């Protein structure tokens, strides 16, 4: 009952009118659709038995930018949808405004694709690169770059979130904003309430979920007007402390190992479960994991590592999905493993795209998402999976008894 009350409170934060009332975790039709799409086998039979089960929240299910498959990412609406789908942890990607206030955006320079900034001429004129239309005669694509650091917090709050996407052939700002990928939808994009980091903390607390903020790499030079990288990393933690959030409810993340080391040293209670987001395998194609490298991370206090899905799995000689060398080495070193991002590839027909690149030969229908998820959970031993549509991961976790 406590969770139901908190979900109702969260929706009261959504709007000044009582439009909705959440009463329980609901998963909708997608789990059934995906199970029906699976190839016949033991896993499908086991999942079918769970389709009538009562869904519950699970910390294994992490809302990646909320529920970004169908809601504008990092908006209040997206976060609430993810919580309703049973995500036990929600993510605010953290960056900062011109006046150094922390806000939830995936990148410091993505406002032109994730918000309606170009619909505000006075604000659009302040963008680092104001809109330049495409030129069919030369083949040049439309250009624009709008950063959170181009605007004060008050200006940022004037914006509305939209589905991430852009039309590179656009000749007008309006045309540019009309670029939602066909496998997403604008059905739930009629309002997208942008949030400060502090507001996300209050909402997540009301939703009774844990929190995983990611400190995004600045695109401006640091220090920024006297604001250093360490100031930035500290301010993020300070907002949790100021809100009275228990360190055990926060999984601070960064792709920058120095940020993680800073938290381990300067904020050990939060650093204890800080997450090193690992991009080495795609930033440098020649990079190979080593056990000594994994142990080195552990030796400096890193407890959790989070690579993309494809880094954790490989194909055996008989075409089975199995843990990769990376996964086995991380486990041997004693690192907890989290991964990203499920449900971010559109249709999985024809290989599944970037996130499935190590197992593309055996990925040919949408139901294969559960084959991957099962290996990640049962064989790799991941402790959490980011998803753009958390209902899928919640359903699997519930079925397998993963809390």
């Amino acid at each position: 009952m406590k969770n139901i009350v908190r979900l109702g409170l969260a929706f009261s934060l959504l709007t000044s009118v009582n439009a909705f009332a959440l009463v329980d975790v609901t998963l909708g039709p997608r789990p059934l659709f995906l199970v029906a799409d699976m190839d016949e086998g033991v896993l499908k039979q086991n999942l079918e038995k769970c389709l009538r089960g009562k869904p519950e929240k699970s910390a294994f299910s992490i809302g990646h930018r909320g529920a970004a498959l169908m809601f504008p990412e990092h908006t209040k609406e997206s976060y609430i949808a993810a919580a309703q789908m049973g995500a036990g942890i929600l993510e605010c990607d953290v960056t900062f405004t011109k006046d150094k206030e922390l806000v939830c955006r995936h990148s410091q320079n993505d406002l032109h694709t994730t918000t309606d900034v170009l619909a505000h001429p006075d604000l659009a004129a302040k963008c680092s690169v104001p809109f330049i239309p495409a030129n069919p005669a030369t083949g040049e694509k439309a250009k624009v770059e709008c950063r959170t650091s181009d605007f004060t917090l008050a200006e940022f709050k004037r914006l509305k979130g939209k589905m991430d996407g852009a039309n590179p052939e656009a000749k007008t700002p309006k045309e540019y904003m009309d670029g939602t990928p066909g496998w997403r939808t604008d059905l739930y994009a009629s309002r997208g309430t942008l949030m400060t980091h502090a507001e996300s903390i209050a909402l997540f607390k009301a939703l009774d979920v844990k929190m995983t903020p990611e400190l995004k790499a600045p695109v401006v030079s640091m220090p920024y007007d006297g604001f250093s990288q360490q100031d930035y990393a500290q301010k993020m933690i300070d907002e949790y402390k100021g809100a009275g959030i228990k360190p055990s409810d926060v999984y601070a993340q960064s792709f920058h190992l120095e940020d993680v080391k800073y938290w381990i040293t300067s904020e050990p209670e939060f650093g204890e479960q800080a997450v090193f987001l690992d991009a080495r395998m795609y930033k440098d194609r020649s990079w190979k994991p080593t056990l000594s490298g994994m142990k080195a991370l552990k030796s400096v206090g890193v407890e959790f590592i989070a690579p993309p899905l494809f880094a954790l799995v490989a194909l055996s000689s008989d075409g089975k999905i199995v843990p990769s060398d990376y996964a086995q080495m991380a486990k041997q070193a004693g690192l907890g493993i989290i991964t990203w991002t499920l449900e971010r590839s559109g249709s999985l027909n024809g290989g599944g795209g970037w996130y499935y690149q190590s197992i593309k030969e055996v990925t040919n229908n949408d139901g294969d998402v559960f084959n991957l998820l099962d290996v990640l959970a049962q064989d790799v031993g991941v402790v959490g999976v980011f998803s753009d549509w958390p209902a899928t991961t919640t359903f699997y976790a519930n079925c397998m008894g993963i809390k």
Side-chain angles (χ1 to χ4, degrees):
M1 180 60 69
K2 183 187 294 184
N3 288 349
I4 295 172
V5 171
R6 283 175 172 165
L7 284 170
L9 171 62
F11 250 96
S12 73
L13 296 172
L14 174 61
T15 176
S16 58
V17 297
N18 296 321
F20 298 98
L22 276 177
V23 294
D24 215 338
V25 173
T26 57
L27 302 183
R30 187 155 180 79
L32 172 60
F33 170 82
L34 292 173
V35 171
D37 198 45
M38 294 177 69
D39 297 333
E40 295 301 324
V42 174
L43 179 59
K44 180 174 182 176
Q45 293 169 8
N46 290 338
L47 292 174
E48 285 176 334
K49 295 175 184 177
C50 298
L51 287 170
R52 294 183 180 275
K54 179 176 175 56
E56 298 179 351
K57 179 176 63 177
S58 171
F60 183 79
S61 179
I62 307 173
H64 181 246
R65 315 183 199 180
L69 181 65
M70 299 179 76
F71 286 80
E73 64 185 45
H74 291 308
T75 61
K76 187 181 295 185
E77 293 78 10
S78 186
Y79 292 143
I80 291 173
Q84 186 178 15
M85 286 185 263
I89 304 176
L90 295 181
E91 177 191 45
C92 167
D93 287 332
V94 179
T95 187
F96 56 87
T97 60
K98 187 175 184 177
D99 43 356
K100 293 171 280 191
E101 296 296 332
L102 302 186
V103 295
C104 299
R105 285 290 92 198
H106 177 64
S107 171
Q108 192 172 46
N109 60 338
D110 73 358
L111 294 183
H112 48 287
T113 65
T114 65
T115 76
D116 67 344
V117 62
L118 297 183
H120 302 266
D122 62 322
L123 298 182
K126 296 182 178 184
C127 289
S128 292
V129 179
F131 178 75
I132 301 171
N135 187 336
T138 64
E140 292 180 272
K141 305 299 184 183
K143 297 178 183 177
V144 60
E145 182 183 357
C146 302
R147 304 174 177 178
T148 57
S149 54
D150 291 333
F151 308 106
T152 64
L153 178 59
E155 291 170 330
F156 173 84
K157 293 290 281 185
R158 289 174 53 194
L159 306 179
K160 184 180 79 172
K162 73 175 190 66
M163 295 302 287
D164 186 14
N167 175 9
E169 308 297 333
K171 299 182 182 65
T172 68
K174 186 176 185 300
E175 289 178 354
Y176 186 85
M177 290 189 292
D178 186 17
T180 301
W183 45 273
R184 291 181 178 158
T185 179
D186 288 319
L187 186 62
Y188 300 104
S190 58
R191 63 169 180 263
T193 308
L194 301 193
M195 305 200 76
T196 67
H197 177 237
E199 288 172 338
S200 80
I201 294 172
L203 178 63
F204 297 172
K205 185 176 182 179
L207 291 168
D208 193 29
V209 297
K210 295 187 177 184
M211 312 170 193
T212 184
E214 180 190 337
L215 196 73
K216 302 303 296 189
V219 296
V220 295
S221 297
M222 299 292 278
Y224 173 77
D225 190 26
F227 190 54
S228 70
Q229 184 69 24
Q230 290 190 346
D231 292 335
Y232 179 29
Q234 185 63 52
K235 183 167 184 173
M236 188 182 86
I237 299 300
D238 285 346
E239 293 197 347
Y240 289 95
K241 294 166 72 175
I245 304 299
K246 295 185 297 184
S248 59
D249 286 342
V250 180
Y251 295 83
Q253 316 170 73
S254 180
F255 279 101
H256 186 42
L257 184 57
E258 293 306 311
D259 292 335
V260 178
K261 289 180 178 178
Y262 173 81
W263 294 321
I264 291 169
T265 301
S266 300
E267 291 288 350
E269 288 186 297
F270 287 89
E272 185 175 349
Q273 55 186 33
V275 181
F276 172 47
L277 296 164
D278 197 355
R280 292 173 294 177
M281 69 293 301
Y282 63 90
K283 293 290 187 181
D284 178 4
R285 289 292 180 175
S286 66
W287 179 83
K288 300 293 182 185
T290 64
L291 181 56
S292 61
M294 295 294 184
K295 288 182 176 179
L297 290 173
K298 182 75 173 181
S299 70
V300 297
V302 176
E303 295 294 334
F304 292 95
I305 194 168
L309 298 170
F310 69 81
L312 294 173
V313 290
L315 290 180
S316 65
S317 58
D318 59 351
K320 303 294 185 183
I321 303 174
V322 295
S324 66
D325 291 342
Y326 179 108
Q328 294 179 63
M329 292 173 187
K331 287 178 68 175
Q332 283 182 265
L335 293 167
I337 306 172
I338 299 167
T339 191
W340 44 274
T341 302
L342 215 66
E343 301 278 64
R344 196 168 176 80
S345 302
S347 173
L348 301 188
N349 296 334
W354 189 84
Y355 291 95
Y356 291 75
Q357 58 188 272
S358 62
I359 56 169
K360 61 183 179 181
E361 290 86 353
V362 297
T363 304
N364 54 38
N365 61 58
D366 290 334
D368 286 334
V369 68
F370 283 126
N371 297 331
L372 172 58
L373 195 52
D374 192 56
V375 172
L376 290 170
Q378 306 303 328
D379 301 328
V380 174
V382 300
V383 297
V385 178
F386 282 90
S387 176
D388 276 15
W389 199 244
T392 300
T393 311
T394 301
F395 168 74
Y396 175 86
N398 287 174
C399 189
M400 299 300 169
I402 304 172
K403 299 298 184 180

